[in-house]
Amino acid sequence: MSSDSDVLEAMHAVVHAFRSKLLRGEADQPRDLSPMEGKALGYFARHPGATQSDLATHAGRDRGQVARLIGGLKDKGLLLAVPDEADRRVWRLSLSTEAQAMHKLVQQRQKVLASAATQGMSDREVQQLMGLLRRVRENLQQQE
């Protein structure tokens, strides 16, 4: 019988395998990105116009660390910053055209890997897995 910690270890192993395969497929990617840079670009792809503060809150990271991350992505030409119309001290961030193309490529790779990961599972099994993972996440969120 598996212990509770075995469940979390198995989840970690799945995520690690997914990320490893995803990054291995990025040999043709024009830029080397750290995992955190990739996550930040993904966040701004899903939330165009969000702020540096929004990302820090979402990621649970130190504001200084996020500021350096954002600065690096802007220096690489991957993030565009526009001042907020209501508060000129706040900058709204979005992906550059190059970063949008990179994100689209990553999304395509994720779709292929997701399909491979659930190969042989019925729709019912996939839905059951999703429900169990949702419950695990909710249980962890209640611990805060």
Side-chain angles (χ1 to χ4, degrees):
M1 182 156 166
S2 296
S3 70
D4 294 341
S5 62
D6 291 338
V7 171
L8 292 177
E9 185 60 33
M11 290 170 48
H12 173 77
V14 167
V15 169
H16 179 75
F18 172 78
R19 286 190 179 148
S20 176
K21 294 232 182 252
L22 183 66
L23 293 175
R24 227 179 288 138
E26 292 184 5
D28 59 333
Q29 187 115 335
R31 296 200 183 260
D32 293 324
L33 294 177
S34 72
M36 191 59 199
E37 288 174 321
K39 288 178 186 179
L41 290 177
Y43 177 80
F44 290 110
R46 292 184 307 277
H47 303 94
T51 66
Q52 178 176 306
S53 180
D54 294 335
L55 176 61
T57 300
H58 172 77
R61 300 286 178 148
D62 174 76
R63 292 186 190 279
Q65 181 183 24
V66 170
R68 288 186 295 280
L69 175 72
I70 298 297
L73 290 170
K74 287 181 358 188
D75 290 346
K76 290 178 181 182
L78 299 174
L79 274 183
L80 306 174
V82 176
D84 184 273
E85 291 181 15
D87 185 348
R88 300 302 244 176
R89 297 171 295 171
V90 174
W91 292 86
R92 298 284 170 187
L93 301 163
S94 60
L95 300 185
S96 68
T97 302
E98 180 182 357
Q100 288 174 20
M102 290 169 60
H103 180 70
K104 184 176 180 179
L105 180 62
V106 169
Q107 282 184 309
Q108 290 169 347
R109 289 181 178 145
Q110 287 176 336
K111 188 175 181 178
V112 168
L113 287 173
S115 180
T118 58
Q119 182 178 357
M121 291 185 192
S122 68
D123 288 343
R124 183 174 180 263
E125 289 171 319
V126 171
Q127 291 305 314
Q128 183 180 19
L129 177 59
M130 290 297 296
L132 292 169
L133 291 171
R134 193 172 18 261
R135 189 182 315 163
V136 168
R137 185 182 68 236
E138 289 167 357
N139 288 343
L140 290 172
Q141 288 172 336
Q142 289 176 3
Q143 294 300 309
E144 294 177 354

